[in-house]
């Protein structure tokens, strides 16, 4: 997944295709019995950590 870091405007730009993939990941987590649900912000922060 590619994202754009806009340092002039201080924001991260995610592609539209990111959100359906995030929904799929959250569905897998629920099916696995976990209560965790990714938000776009929490997922990106986790990837950079």
């Amino acid at each position: 997944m590619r994202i754009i870091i806009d340092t002039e405007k201080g924001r991260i730009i995610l592609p539209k295709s990111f959100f359906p993939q995030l929904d799929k990941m959250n569905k897998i987590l629920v099916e696995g019995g976990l209560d965790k649900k990714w938000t776009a912000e929490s997922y990106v922060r986790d990837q950079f950590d």
Side-chain angles (χ1 to χ4, degrees):
M1 173 74 51
R2 290 183 183 215
I3 62 171
I4 298 169
I5 300 175
D6 187 337
T7 57
E8 290 178 7
K9 294 184 179 179
R11 64 183 180 177
I12 296 174
I13 302 169
L14 302 170
K16 289 181 183 179
S17 62
F18 172 79
F19 297 97
Q21 289 180 355
L22 186 62
D23 289 339
K24 288 178 187 177
M25 287 188 285
N26 282 327
K27 185 178 177 183
I28 291 169
L29 290 173
V30 169
E31 289 172 354
L34 297 176
D35 291 334
K36 182 171 183 154
K37 182 174 182 181
W38 290 110
T39 63
E41 182 179 349
S42 64
Y43 183 79
V44 171
R45 282 182 187 272
D46 184 70
Q47 296 306 304
F48 277 95
D49 287 341

